[in-house]
């Protein structure tokens, strides 16, 4: 009777939470097994095709069957039916030009793929994209490569007789809605000469020069990516300022003389829902701002439709800022840099939303990477080079 009363020992909050979570996870695991083991076989591939693209890097290593889905024709058809909301961005940095970094804006996460089939000594730059494929240019040997960075499907294009110079421009389109029907690559020179690669014939063709109504030479910039709307590619040129287009289906060249906005410095073409846009830096005195213009179809003039918030633009005051557009379709990625600043931002053309991009770090490293080149591409597991 005199024995002290023993109170039940209290568990710490951490132990209680661990116990709850372990119990909950075991029940969930049993429930998941009960559900997924009865999944009909004909629903397996449609479900996998609709998973977030980022999960692809994990499910490939589950088993040989899942890894073999890449060569399944039915799985490719299911993937082609899934429309990706946002493009990804394939970029290269100043210090690691022969290795890329992919950015997923939906998850706000960087990935560092290694294209094992590409010789390590090569330095390749992404110059165009279409249908889930990225076109690379080897700056030393002047060879072109087409690759799907997700599945490392790589193809070296046949050699060309003419050397590619820095003032040439590259554009890429697909035949139809996917790369299954083939793709074409257009290389345009400032002197009016151009070549076209057709993946169906696996060869380059060298048509005649541009028609006489196209004013030459064209001041094209290799770093300013082309914009594709359906089968037509649009390139920006200066002197005179404007746009030159080429329809891959009909073979027709068209030139538009369009005056540029005042105080415009770095600028690139962009596209959203079939509309041509211009993104550029406006610099006046010590103030700098990023503006978005849309091309008016009736007047063929640029009309300002949006600009970066003033609070962000204050960071550019008094600084010599340079801009590079790393993606120009639906979602823009802009690299803004000066001696005192290096920043990446995305701009959603449809929602008019500006978002700062997290720093790109080398795996297991802490050093921030300066993005040198890049292009946007819609990730597609079924796209084959």
């Amino acid at each position: 009777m005199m024995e002290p009363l023993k109170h039940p020992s209290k568990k710490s909050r951490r132990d209680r939470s661990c116990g709850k979570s372990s119990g909950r996870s075991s029940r969930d695991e049993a429930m998941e097994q009960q559900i997924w083991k009865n999944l009909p076989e004909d629903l397996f591939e449609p479900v996998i095709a609709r998973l977030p693209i980022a999960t692809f890097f994990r499910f490939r290593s589950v088993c040989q069957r899942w890894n073999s889905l890449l060569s399944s024709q039915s799985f490719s058809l299911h993937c082609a039916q899934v429309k990706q909301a946002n493009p990804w961005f394939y970029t290269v940095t100043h210090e690691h030009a022969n290795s890329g970094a992919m950015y997923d804006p939906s998850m706000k996460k960087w990935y560092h793929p290694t294209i094992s089939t590409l010789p390590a000594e090569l330095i390749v730059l992404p110059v165009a994209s279409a249908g889930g494929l990225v076109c690379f240019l080897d700056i030393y040997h002047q060879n072109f490569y087409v690759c799907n960075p997700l599945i490392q499907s790589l193809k070296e294009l046949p050699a060309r007789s003419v050397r590619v110079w820095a003032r040439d421009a590259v554009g890429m389109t697909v035949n139809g809605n996917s790369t299954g029907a083939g793709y074409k690559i257009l290389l345009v020179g400032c002197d009016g000469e151009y070549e076209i690669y057709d993946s169906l014939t696996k060869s380059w063709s060298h048509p005649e020069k541009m028609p006489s109504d196209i004013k030459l030479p064209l001041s094209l910039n290799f770093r300013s990516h082309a914009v594709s709307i359906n089968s037509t590619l649009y390139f920006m040129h200066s002197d005179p300022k404007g746009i030159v287009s080429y329809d891959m289906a009909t073979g027709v060249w068209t030139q538009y003389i369009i005056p540029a906005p005042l105080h415009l410095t770095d600028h690139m073409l962009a596209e959203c829902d079939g509309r041509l846009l211009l993104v550029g830096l406006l610099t006046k005195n010590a103030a700098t701002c990023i503006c978005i213009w849309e091309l008016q179809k009736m007047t063929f003039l640029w009309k300002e439709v949006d600009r970066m918030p003033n609070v962000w633009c204050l960071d550019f005051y008094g600084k010599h800022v340079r801009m590079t557009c790393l993606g120009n379709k639906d979602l823009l990625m802009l690299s803004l840099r000066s001696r005192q600043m290096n920043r990446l931002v995305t701009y959603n053309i449809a929602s008019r939303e500006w978002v700062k991009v997290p720093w790109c770090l080398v795996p297991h490293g802490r050093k921030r990477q300066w993005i040198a080149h890049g292009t946007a591409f819609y990730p597609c597991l079924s796209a084959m080079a």
Side-chain angles (χ1 to χ4, degrees):
M1 295 293 296
M2 300 300 295
E3 186 176 352
L5 181 64
K6 294 183 179 180
H7 296 279
S9 59
K10 292 185 178 181
K11 293 183 179 180
S12 66
R13 182 180 300 175
R14 186 163 131 196
D15 293 338
R16 290 200 304 270
S17 63
C18 290
K20 290 181 181 179
S21 63
S22 61
R24 187 166 57 247
S25 63
S26 62
R27 289 196 301 269
D28 291 346
E29 184 177 355
M31 184 179 66
E32 289 176 359
Q33 291 179 357
Q34 187 71 18
I35 293 175
W36 290 108
K37 74 178 183 179
N38 296 321
L39 181 70
E41 191 71 21
D42 57 344
L43 292 181
F44 179 74
E45 289 188 358
V47 169
I48 295 295
R50 283 159 175 79
L51 290 176
I53 288 292
T55 61
F56 163 75
F57 299 103
R58 297 194 298 270
F59 85 71
R60 279 193 71 178
S61 58
V62 171
C63 61
Q64 291 184 353
R65 181 191 175 194
W66 286 27
N67 188 41
S68 64
L69 287 176
L70 295 177
S71 57
S72 169
Q73 185 176 3
S74 59
F75 181 66
S76 299
L77 294 176
H78 289 301
C79 289
Q81 297 172 3
V82 180
K83 171 67 176 176
Q84 298 299 326
N86 290 317
W88 283 25
F89 298 93
Y90 188 95
T91 66
V92 294
T93 64
H94 284 286
E95 297 182 4
H96 298 81
N98 58 344
S99 62
M102 291 190 303
Y103 180 67
D104 176 7
S106 300
M107 303 296 294
K108 296 183 179 180
K109 186 175 181 180
W110 287 95
Y111 300 94
H112 298 268
T114 300
I115 305 176
S116 57
T117 53
L118 194 65
E121 65 274 8
L122 291 181
I123 296 180
V124 294
L125 301 178
V127 293
S129 66
L133 299 177
V134 178
C135 177
F136 295 91
L137 173 63
D138 169 20
I139 62 174
Y140 287 147
H141 300 287
Q142 305 298 312
N143 292 330
F144 284 92
Y145 300 83
V146 175
C147 171
N148 184 338
L150 292 180
I151 62 176
Q152 297 191 16
S153 169
L154 179 73
K155 178 179 181 179
E156 181 179 358
L157 303 189
R160 301 168 51 257
S161 59
V162 182
R163 182 179 177 86
V164 181
W165 297 103
R167 304 301 291 182
D168 290 350
V170 182
M172 184 176 182
T173 61
V174 294
N175 303 329
N177 298 324
S178 67
T179 56
Y183 57 87
K184 293 180 180 179
I185 297 174
L186 173 65
L187 177 64
V188 185
C190 297
D191 57 357
E193 293 189 358
Y194 61 100
E195 290 187 77
I196 300 174
Y197 175 79
D198 192 334
S199 65
L200 298 180
T201 61
K202 299 180 181 179
S203 62
W204 291 91
S205 61
H206 194 286
E208 297 180 359
K209 281 193 173 184
M210 295 180 183
S212 57
D213 58 342
I214 304 295
K215 185 176 180 180
L216 300 175
L218 293 173
S219 298
L220 300 170
N221 190 346
F222 175 76
R223 296 179 60 190
S224 181
H225 291 172
V227 166
S228 63
I229 300 177
N230 298 324
S231 62
T232 303
L233 288 168
Y234 296 85
F235 301 88
M236 175 154 279
H237 64 79
S238 57
D239 193 26
K241 296 185 181 298
I243 296 173
V244 62
S245 68
Y246 180 74
D247 192 324
M248 291 286 227
T250 62
V252 175
W253 284 97
T254 308
Q255 189 173 32
Y256 308 91
I257 307 302
I258 307 171
L262 297 176
H263 311 294
L264 183 65
T265 54
D266 295 343
H267 55 282
M268 293 88 180
L269 277 179
E271 182 270 337
C272 180
D273 293 331
R275 297 175 293 141
L276 279 177
L277 298 108
L278 179 70
V279 52
L281 283 176
L282 276 186
T283 302
K284 186 176 181 180
N285 299 329
T288 299
C289 183
I290 299 175
C291 295
I292 310 294
W293 296 267
E294 181 178 345
L295 184 63
Q296 305 301 295
K297 295 182 179 180
M298 296 297 294
T299 61
F300 279 95
L301 296 174
W302 295 111
K303 178 183 177 182
E304 184 178 334
V305 293
D306 200 8
R307 62 172 53 196
M308 180 178 280
N310 291 331
V311 177
W312 289 21
C313 294
L314 289 176
D315 295 339
F316 310 148
Y317 189 83
K319 300 174 182 176
H320 182 62
V321 181
R322 299 303 305 270
M323 184 190 74
T324 302
C325 187
L326 305 177
N328 58 2
K329 194 174 183 65
D330 299 327
L331 187 69
L332 311 181
M333 178 183 277
L334 306 177
S335 173
L336 306 166
R337 62 194 185 280
S338 67
R339 289 185 177 180
Q340 304 89 355
M341 180 195 67
N342 180 34
R343 180 175 299 171
L344 289 174
V345 299
T346 59
Y347 175 72
N348 190 309
I349 299 175
S351 63
R352 299 187 177 184
E353 181 183 10
W354 299 87
V355 177
K356 293 182 179 179
V357 177
W359 289 106
C360 176
L361 304 177
V362 175
H364 311 295
R366 297 182 178 180
K367 187 176 180 180
R368 298 171 178 176
Q369 297 298 295
W370 285 41
I371 302 299
H373 300 276
T375 187
F377 74 100
Y378 277 91
C380 180
L381 300 178
S382 59
M384 301 296 293

